[in-house]
Amino acid sequence: MTTRAPHRAAGRVEVHGVHKSFGTLEVLRDVDLTFEPGTVTVVLGPSGSGKSTLLRAINHLEKVDAGFVTVDGDLVGYRRCRGRRGDVLQELKEREILGQRTRIGFVFQGFNLFPHLTALENVVEAPLSAQRRSRAEVEAEARELLARVGLADKADARPRQLSGGQQQRVAIARALALRPRVLLFDEPTSALDPELVGEVLEVIKDVASTGTTLVVVTHEIGFAREVADSVVFMDDGVVVEQGPPAQVLDHPRHERTRAFLDRVL
């Protein structure tokens, strides 16, 4: 594992009894997880196991059917209100939800860059619009972030002029520009050609050393073994097992975990 910076006080994520269905398909079933501040958790599992839906529930891109998520003790997407039959959860207004998402960064597998904006403009857009920070401050920090991900010379390039790996590194810089407490990665290398995977994983390793809480959905077992503090294996909407990489990857307790690893290793 990489050497960590001292843990920040912020960035503790708790998932409590979360259920999520799409029609009759139950995608998450009573999921309970805690991600400690400053740690790196890799979430593994076959396609359709609920991994991406879990990430989207953490930052309220998907509304849960039951249960709730907190970041540093604050409910995500909801407030607790007193009702006739006890406490109930009331969904926040969109403006409040967007404010929460500035603290929970999300890096998508498909990059999701604005095609008409340069790399620099993609990075500065959210801090300017969501955090009302000064343009001079945001642009200076954005250039530092592009340099950090190895793209100082691509600030004026548009996405179509960049390789897939470069686009994903811009997306990581964009997420970091919001100074999030938590950073979620949804299969960040799955859309990349094999020769570009390594460059993106190296950037994520660098981010992992800063003390930001990372939750990474990926099939990159080597990355999980080297960088993760904890590995979660999901299947059929449930958490089958979790623990340190050496335990889950080398000595899995559950047959479903062993069968999955036999297929991907």
Side-chain angles (χ1 to χ4, degrees):
M1 291 187 294
T2 55
T3 302
R4 299 275 185 269
H7 285 188
R8 296 175 177 177
R12 179 183 175 88
V13 180
E14 296 179 70
V15 180
H16 297 271
V18 164
H19 290 257
K20 177 65 182 179
S21 295
F22 297 105
T24 60
L25 178 63
E26 197 171 20
V27 181
L28 297 176
R29 298 187 288 161
D30 197 25
V31 174
D32 284 295
L33 286 167
T34 298
F35 307 109
E36 296 292 346
T39 60
V40 179
T41 302
V42 167
V43 184
L44 302 173
S47 297
S49 60
K51 308 182 302 296
S52 295
T53 303
L54 172 65
L55 289 194
R56 294 173 69 85
I58 289 174
N59 80 338
H60 203 64
L61 282 172
E62 292 289 355
K63 301 177 185 179
V64 301
D65 299 323
F68 58 92
V69 177
T70 64
V71 173
D72 297 325
D74 296 327
L75 284 166
V76 176
Y78 300 92
R79 65 167 54 86
R80 200 180 301 276
C81 300
R82 181 70 67 182
R84 292 181 179 179
R85 300 180 181 178
D87 287 352
V88 295
L89 298 184
Q90 181 183 68
E91 190 171 21
L92 298 176
K93 295 179 180 179
E94 185 64 20
R95 175 178 54 82
E96 297 171 295
I97 293 170
L98 291 174
Q100 286 188 332
R101 287 190 187 135
T102 65
R103 302 190 292 272
I104 310 169
F106 202 114
V107 178
F108 299 86
Q109 58 180 303
F111 320 141
N112 284 22
L113 298 178
F114 295 111
H116 62 290
L117 300 181
T118 66
L120 181 67
E121 290 166 343
N122 266 282
V123 176
V124 304
E125 174 67 23
L128 286 178
S129 60
Q131 296 177 328
R132 306 298 183 187
R133 291 159 55 193
S134 75
R135 176 170 288 275
E137 174 194 10
V138 170
E139 283 199 5
E141 189 169 315
R143 290 186 184 279
E144 290 177 5
L145 287 169
L146 287 173
R148 180 173 161 190
V149 300
L151 295 174
D153 60 336
K154 300 295 184 180
D156 296 324
R158 286 182 165 74
R160 68 177 181 274
Q161 299 170 304
L162 302 173
S163 70
Q166 290 170 333
Q167 289 184 59
Q168 191 62 291
R169 285 186 278 156
V170 172
I172 294 171
R174 178 180 61 181
L176 290 171
L178 288 167
R179 303 173 181 171
R181 302 177 187 178
V182 180
L183 194 48
L184 311 174
F185 292 85
D186 187 10
E187 301 198 27
T189 61
S190 66
L192 301 178
D193 292 333
E195 65 269 21
L196 302 177
V197 169
E199 67 184 53
V200 172
L201 292 180
E202 284 301 316
V203 171
I204 300 174
K205 289 177 190 178
D206 177 65
V207 176
S209 70
T210 66
T212 304
T213 305
L214 305 188
V215 185
V216 186
V217 169
T218 183
H219 290 296
E220 299 292 336
I221 303 299
F223 172 83
R225 195 183 302 277
E226 180 181 354
V227 180
D229 298 291
S230 178
V231 173
V232 172
F233 176 70
M234 295 184 66
D235 193 15
D236 198 24
V238 301
V239 175
V240 177
E241 66 178 296
Q242 65 183 117
Q247 181 256 298
V248 175
L249 300 178
D250 298 329
H251 305 286
R253 299 190 178 106
H254 200 285
E255 176 55 36
R256 282 195 280 180
T257 314
R258 288 193 289 271
F260 172 78
L261 291 171
D262 284 344
R263 291 196 301 270
V264 299
L265 290 176

